Amino acid sequence: MDIEDKHVVITGGTDGLGLSLVKLFLAKSAIVHVISKDPEKLKALEKELNNKLLHVYTADVSDFNQVVKACSEIWKVDVVINNAGIWLEGLLDEYKYEDISKVIDVNLKGPIYVTKALLPKLKSSPDAHIINISSTSGLKGVAKQSVYVSSKMGLKGFTETLKDDLVGSNIKVSGFYPGGMNTRLFEKFGTIKDNQKWMNIDKVAKIILFMVEQDNTMVMGDVVVTKRVK
Ligand SMILES: NC(=O)c1ccc[n+]([C@@H]2O[C@H](COP(=O)([O-])OP(=O)(O)OC[C@H]3O[C@@H](n4cnc5c(N)ncnc54)[C@H](OP(=O)(O)O)[C@@H]3O)[C@@H](O)[C@H]2O)c1
Protein backbone atom coordinates (compact mmCIF):
# COMPACT_ATOMS: atom_id res chain seq x y z
CA MET A 1 0.00 0.00 0.00
CA ASP A 2 1.24 3.48 -0.83
CA ILE A 3 0.59 5.16 2.52
CA GLU A 4 0.43 8.76 1.29
CA ASP A 5 -3.10 10.19 1.85
CA LYS A 6 -4.27 6.93 3.47
CA HIS A 7 -6.21 7.12 6.74
CA VAL A 8 -4.35 5.36 9.56
CA VAL A 9 -5.89 4.86 13.01
CA ILE A 10 -3.38 4.33 15.82
CA THR A 11 -4.55 3.59 19.36
CA GLY A 12 -2.32 4.73 22.21
CA GLY A 13 -0.46 7.20 20.00
CA THR A 14 0.53 9.58 22.79
CA ASP A 15 3.54 7.64 24.05
CA GLY A 16 6.03 4.87 23.32
CA LEU A 17 5.71 2.79 20.15
CA GLY A 18 2.39 4.45 19.25
CA LEU A 19 3.98 7.91 19.28
CA SER A 20 6.84 6.68 17.05
CA LEU A 21 4.25 5.27 14.65
CA VAL A 22 2.30 8.55 14.61
CA LYS A 23 5.44 10.54 13.73
CA LEU A 24 6.56 8.04 11.09
CA PHE A 25 3.19 7.80 9.32
CA LEU A 26 2.82 11.61 9.35
CA ALA A 27 6.29 11.90 7.83
CA LYS A 28 5.00 9.65 5.02
CA SER A 29 2.02 12.03 4.51
CA ALA A 30 -0.60 9.63 5.85
CA ILE A 31 -3.70 11.07 7.54
CA VAL A 32 -3.28 9.89 11.11
CA HIS A 33 -6.12 9.43 13.59
CA VAL A 34 -4.95 8.90 17.18
CA ILE A 35 -7.27 7.38 19.75
CA SER A 36 -5.99 7.62 23.30
CA LYS A 37 -7.37 7.98 26.79
CA ASP A 38 -5.82 11.22 28.08
CA PRO A 39 -7.23 14.43 26.54
CA GLU A 40 -4.38 16.55 27.93
CA LYS A 41 -1.74 14.33 26.31
CA LEU A 42 -3.70 14.43 23.04
CA LYS A 43 -3.83 18.24 23.17
CA ALA A 44 -0.08 18.35 23.86
CA LEU A 45 0.53 15.98 20.93
CA GLU A 46 -1.46 18.23 18.56
CA LYS A 47 0.49 21.23 19.79
CA GLU A 48 3.87 19.52 19.53
CA LEU A 49 3.36 18.02 16.07
CA ASN A 50 1.30 20.92 14.65
CA ASN A 51 0.31 18.93 11.57
CA LYS A 52 -3.00 19.24 9.70
CA LEU A 53 -2.84 15.53 8.85
CA LEU A 54 -3.16 14.65 12.56
CA HIS A 55 -6.60 14.11 14.15
CA VAL A 56 -7.10 13.11 17.78
CA TYR A 57 -9.97 11.43 19.65
CA THR A 58 -10.28 10.80 23.37
CA ALA A 59 -11.39 7.30 24.27
CA ASP A 60 -10.46 4.63 26.76
CA VAL A 61 -10.27 1.59 24.47
CA SER A 62 -11.65 -0.61 27.24
CA ASP A 63 -14.96 1.33 27.22
CA PHE A 64 -17.00 0.37 24.19
CA ASN A 65 -19.27 3.40 24.41
CA GLN A 66 -16.26 5.71 24.21
CA VAL A 67 -14.77 3.62 21.40
CA VAL A 68 -17.97 3.69 19.36
CA LYS A 69 -18.25 7.46 19.79
CA ALA A 70 -14.62 8.17 18.82
CA CYS A 71 -14.74 5.79 15.86
CA SER A 72 -17.98 7.36 14.59
CA GLU A 73 -16.08 10.66 14.24
CA ILE A 74 -13.41 9.11 11.98
CA TRP A 75 -14.74 9.48 8.46
CA LYS A 76 -12.46 7.12 6.51
CA VAL A 77 -10.15 4.25 7.51
CA ASP A 78 -7.57 2.27 5.53
CA VAL A 79 -5.26 1.03 8.31
CA VAL A 80 -5.88 0.26 11.98
CA ILE A 81 -2.98 -0.31 14.36
CA ASN A 82 -4.26 -1.63 17.68
CA ASN A 83 -1.33 -0.56 19.81
CA ALA A 84 -2.71 0.74 23.16
CA GLY A 85 -1.75 -1.55 26.00
CA ILE A 86 -0.92 -1.70 29.69
CA TRP A 87 1.38 -3.79 31.86
CA LEU A 88 0.91 -5.99 34.92
CA GLU A 89 3.60 -8.12 36.51
CA GLY A 90 3.74 -10.39 39.54
CA LEU A 91 2.29 -13.59 40.92
CA LEU A 92 -1.43 -14.18 40.62
CA ASP A 93 -2.01 -14.06 44.36
CA GLU A 94 -0.44 -10.59 44.48
CA TYR A 95 -2.77 -9.07 41.86
CA LYS A 96 -5.82 -7.00 42.70
CA TYR A 97 -9.01 -8.19 40.99
CA GLU A 98 -9.55 -4.76 39.44
CA ASP A 99 -6.04 -4.79 37.89
CA ILE A 100 -6.67 -8.21 36.35
CA SER A 101 -9.88 -6.91 34.86
CA LYS A 102 -8.24 -3.72 33.55
CA VAL A 103 -5.43 -5.56 31.73
CA ILE A 104 -7.83 -7.91 29.96
CA ASP A 105 -10.17 -5.01 29.18
CA VAL A 106 -7.49 -2.74 27.68
CA ASN A 107 -5.19 -5.28 25.99
CA LEU A 108 -7.81 -7.72 24.70
CA LYS A 109 -11.26 -6.17 24.65
CA GLY A 110 -9.82 -2.81 23.48
CA PRO A 111 -8.56 -4.08 20.08
CA ILE A 112 -11.76 -6.11 19.62
CA TYR A 113 -13.97 -3.04 20.28
CA VAL A 114 -11.89 -0.74 18.04
CA THR A 115 -11.78 -3.28 15.21
CA LYS A 116 -15.53 -3.92 15.41
CA ALA A 117 -16.31 -0.20 15.45
CA LEU A 118 -14.09 0.50 12.43
CA LEU A 119 -14.88 -2.60 10.37
CA PRO A 120 -17.64 -1.00 8.24
CA LYS A 121 -15.23 1.81 7.26
CA LEU A 122 -12.40 -0.65 6.60
CA LYS A 123 -14.73 -2.60 4.30
CA SER A 124 -15.23 0.58 2.24
CA SER A 125 -11.49 0.97 1.67
CA PRO A 126 -10.13 -0.53 -1.56
CA ASP A 127 -7.13 -1.90 0.32
CA ALA A 128 -7.24 -2.13 4.12
CA HIS A 129 -4.99 -3.52 6.82
CA ILE A 130 -5.42 -4.26 10.54
CA ILE A 131 -2.27 -4.75 12.64
CA ASN A 132 -2.62 -5.94 16.21
CA ILE A 133 0.33 -5.28 18.51
CA SER A 134 0.62 -8.32 20.75
CA SER A 135 3.99 -9.27 22.27
CA THR A 136 6.41 -12.16 22.48
CA SER A 137 4.47 -12.66 25.74
CA GLY A 138 1.54 -13.52 23.45
CA LEU A 139 3.45 -16.49 22.05
CA LYS A 140 4.36 -18.44 25.19
CA GLY A 141 3.91 -18.33 28.95
CA VAL A 142 6.31 -16.15 30.93
CA ALA A 143 6.81 -16.32 34.72
CA LYS A 144 5.12 -13.50 36.66
CA GLN A 145 3.12 -12.37 33.61
CA SER A 146 0.06 -14.65 33.87
CA VAL A 147 -2.54 -11.96 33.17
CA TYR A 148 -0.50 -9.91 30.67
CA VAL A 149 0.34 -13.14 28.76
CA SER A 150 -3.34 -14.13 28.83
CA SER A 151 -4.34 -10.76 27.35
CA LYS A 152 -1.69 -10.92 24.60
CA MET A 153 -2.38 -14.59 23.76
CA GLY A 154 -6.05 -13.70 23.60
CA LEU A 155 -5.17 -10.95 21.13
CA LYS A 156 -3.25 -13.53 19.07
CA GLY A 157 -6.37 -15.70 18.98
CA PHE A 158 -8.51 -12.73 17.92
CA THR A 159 -5.99 -11.82 15.21
CA GLU A 160 -5.80 -15.33 13.77
CA THR A 161 -9.57 -15.75 13.72
CA LEU A 162 -10.14 -12.34 12.14
CA LYS A 163 -7.59 -13.30 9.47
CA ASP A 164 -9.70 -16.37 8.63
CA ASP A 165 -12.98 -14.46 8.77
CA LEU A 166 -11.65 -11.85 6.35
CA VAL A 167 -9.97 -14.17 3.84
CA GLY A 168 -10.98 -13.08 0.33
CA SER A 169 -11.99 -9.62 1.50
CA ASN A 170 -10.20 -6.30 0.92
CA ILE A 171 -8.83 -6.39 4.50
CA LYS A 172 -5.48 -7.88 5.48
CA VAL A 173 -4.84 -8.81 9.11
CA SER A 174 -1.43 -9.10 10.78
CA GLY A 175 -0.18 -9.88 14.26
CA PHE A 176 2.93 -8.09 15.49
CA TYR A 177 4.89 -9.72 18.31
CA PRO A 178 7.70 -7.54 19.67
CA GLY A 179 10.07 -8.37 22.48
CA GLY A 180 11.11 -5.74 25.03
CA MET A 181 11.22 -2.11 23.88
CA ASN A 182 12.62 1.03 25.51
CA THR A 183 9.30 2.60 26.58
CA ARG A 184 7.73 3.76 29.84
CA LEU A 185 5.12 0.96 29.74
CA PHE A 186 6.54 -0.74 32.82
CA GLU A 187 7.25 2.26 35.05
CA LYS A 188 3.66 3.51 34.51
CA PHE A 189 2.55 0.39 36.35
CA GLY A 190 5.15 0.49 39.10
CA THR A 191 7.82 -1.82 37.65
CA ILE A 192 11.31 -0.48 37.12
CA LYS A 193 13.11 -2.18 34.21
CA ASP A 194 16.61 -1.47 32.99
CA ASN A 195 15.24 -1.24 29.44
CA GLN A 196 17.40 1.51 27.93
CA LYS A 197 19.17 -1.06 25.75
CA TRP A 198 16.01 -2.90 24.71
CA MET A 199 14.66 -2.44 21.17
CA ASN A 200 14.45 1.11 19.89
CA ILE A 201 10.84 2.07 19.18
CA ASP A 202 11.66 4.19 16.12
CA LYS A 203 13.30 1.15 14.52
CA VAL A 204 10.38 -1.09 15.50
CA ALA A 205 7.91 1.43 14.04
CA LYS A 206 9.75 1.24 10.69
CA ILE A 207 9.11 -2.52 10.56
CA ILE A 208 5.38 -1.91 11.06
CA LEU A 209 5.40 0.71 8.29
CA PHE A 210 7.16 -1.85 6.04
CA MET A 211 4.35 -4.35 6.77
CA VAL A 212 1.73 -1.79 5.77
CA GLU A 213 3.62 -0.73 2.64
CA GLN A 214 3.54 -4.20 1.04
CA ASP A 215 1.25 -4.29 -1.98
CA ASN A 216 -2.10 -6.06 -1.88
CA THR A 217 -0.77 -9.26 -3.45
CA MET A 218 1.14 -10.03 -0.23
CA VAL A 219 0.56 -10.01 3.49
CA MET A 220 3.11 -10.23 6.28
CA GLY A 221 0.78 -12.26 8.49
CA ASP A 222 2.80 -12.55 11.68
CA VAL A 223 5.98 -10.70 12.50
CA VAL A 224 8.10 -11.46 15.56
CA VAL A 225 10.90 -9.01 16.37
CA THR A 226 13.29 -9.33 19.27
CA LYS A 227 16.57 -7.80 20.32
CA ARG A 228 19.49 -9.69 18.85
CA VAL A 229 21.44 -11.63 21.48
CA LYS A 230 25.15 -11.10 20.91
N1 LIG B 1 7.42 -1.90 25.81
C1 LIG B 1 7.60 -3.20 25.62
O1 LIG B 1 8.63 -3.77 26.02
C2 LIG B 1 6.55 -3.99 24.88
C3 LIG B 1 6.88 -5.31 24.47
C4 LIG B 1 5.94 -6.04 23.76
C5 LIG B 1 4.70 -5.51 23.48
N2 LIG B 1 4.40 -4.24 23.89
C6 LIG B 1 3.09 -3.70 23.55
O2 LIG B 1 3.28 -2.60 22.68
C7 LIG B 1 2.18 -1.70 22.82
C8 LIG B 1 2.70 -0.30 23.06
O3 LIG B 1 3.33 -0.28 24.31
P1 LIG B 1 4.42 0.80 24.74
O4 LIG B 1 5.56 0.05 25.32
O5 LIG B 1 4.64 1.76 23.67
O6 LIG B 1 3.65 1.47 25.99
P2 LIG B 1 3.41 3.01 26.40
O7 LIG B 1 4.63 3.80 26.10
O8 LIG B 1 2.91 2.98 27.78
O9 LIG B 1 2.27 3.47 25.39
C9 LIG B 1 0.98 2.92 25.49
C10 LIG B 1 -0.01 3.87 24.88
O10 LIG B 1 -1.33 3.34 25.08
C11 LIG B 1 -2.15 4.33 25.72
N3 LIG B 1 -3.18 3.68 26.53
C12 LIG B 1 -3.01 2.97 27.66
N4 LIG B 1 -4.19 2.56 28.12
C13 LIG B 1 -5.13 3.02 27.26
C14 LIG B 1 -6.54 2.94 27.23
N5 LIG B 1 -7.23 2.29 28.17
N6 LIG B 1 -7.19 3.53 26.21
C15 LIG B 1 -6.51 4.21 25.26
N7 LIG B 1 -5.17 4.34 25.24
C16 LIG B 1 -4.49 3.75 26.25
C17 LIG B 1 -1.16 5.12 26.56
O11 LIG B 1 -1.72 6.34 26.97
P3 LIG B 1 -1.06 7.15 28.21
O12 LIG B 1 0.18 7.79 27.65
O13 LIG B 1 -2.13 8.11 28.59
O14 LIG B 1 -0.75 6.13 29.27
C18 LIG B 1 -0.01 5.25 25.56
O15 LIG B 1 -0.30 6.23 24.61
C19 LIG B 1 1.33 -2.24 23.97
O16 LIG B 1 0.24 -2.97 23.45
C20 LIG B 1 2.28 -3.15 24.70
O17 LIG B 1 1.61 -4.17 25.41
C21 LIG B 1 5.29 -3.47 24.57
Side-chain angles (χ1 to χ4, degrees), residues 129-143:
H129 200 161
I130 299 165
I131 300 187
N132 291 332
I133 311 297
S134 177
S135 166
T136 49
S137 295
L139 298 171
K140 67 177 196 51
V142 186

Side-chain angles (χ1 to χ4, degrees), residues 54-75:
L54 174 67
H55 304 271
V56 304
Y57 311 82
T58 304
D60 178 334
V61 295
S62 68
D63 180 325
F64 65 79
N65 288 311
Q66 292 183 32
V67 167
V68 168
K69 185 175 178 299
C71 292
S72 71
E73 290 166 19
I74 303 174
W75 60 100

